[in-house]
Amino acid sequence: NLSLKLTAKNYFLWRIQIVPFFRGQKLLSFVDGSKPCPPDPISINGHNDPQPNPTASIWKGEDQLLLSLLISPLSEDVIPVVVGLNISHAVWSALESAFASPSNTRVLHLHMQMQCNNSRNRLICY
């Protein structure tokens, strides 16, 4: 059960919860980048035109499910870190870059506080 939402302050606790789940489901290789998408399209003997790679299609479907699992426990203040990213490895890497280093987490938190303080008319302050 993945009950902990990821915030700007609890990355390590969230990671402790989610990594064993991904490992147990044999999905960690998607997020850590060790199982990249197979090439698509591919050349098949006897065909002049490249053909769609069924393995790539399966990988993309699995990765999109995993992407959904990764994004769903993100709090509103974390979602901007991953906006526009469309594969699970890219989301995982962005989260790790933003939150894995205690100094990065502190800088991000201070930046969010400054945004709130500098813009009193904002509806959402972090």
Side-chain angles (χ1 to χ4, degrees):
N1 184 10
L2 302 176
S3 58
L4 187 64
K5 286 256 188 208
L6 176 62
T7 68
K9 296 180 182 180
N10 70 352
Y11 174 77
F12 292 106
L13 294 174
W14 176 82
R15 191 177 191 284
I16 286 169
Q17 171 185 258
I18 203 163
V19 167
F21 174 77
F22 287 157
R23 194 176 286 131
Q25 298 297 316
K26 301 191 181 354
L27 297 171
L28 191 60
S29 59
F30 282 84
V31 297
D32 71 11
S34 62
K35 184 178 182 178
C37 185
D40 190 29
I42 57 173
S43 296
I44 299 176
N45 292 339
H47 288 90
N48 291 335
D49 297 326
Q51 302 294 310
N53 183 351
T55 307
S57 179
I58 291 167
W59 184 96
K60 289 175 186 177
E62 291 173 347
D63 188 69
Q64 290 304 292
L65 290 172
L66 182 53
L67 181 64
S68 176
L69 281 173
L70 267 176
I71 292 173
S72 64
L74 302 183
S75 62
E76 286 184 26
D77 61 326
V78 172
I79 288 177
V81 172
V82 299
V83 167
L85 303 177
N86 59 8
I87 62 169
S88 62
H89 176 61
V91 168
W92 186 258
S93 295
L95 294 172
E96 194 167 64
S97 293
F99 303 116
S101 162
S103 60
N104 285 354
T105 302
R106 179 76 178 136
V107 168
L108 183 62
H109 181 69
L110 290 172
H111 178 70
M112 289 179 189
Q113 283 182 324
M114 286 176 22
Q115 282 182 328
C116 182
N117 291 336
N118 289 335
S119 141
R120 298 191 191 281
N121 293 331
R122 288 181 62 101
L123 295 176
I124 300 173
C125 293
Y126 303 103

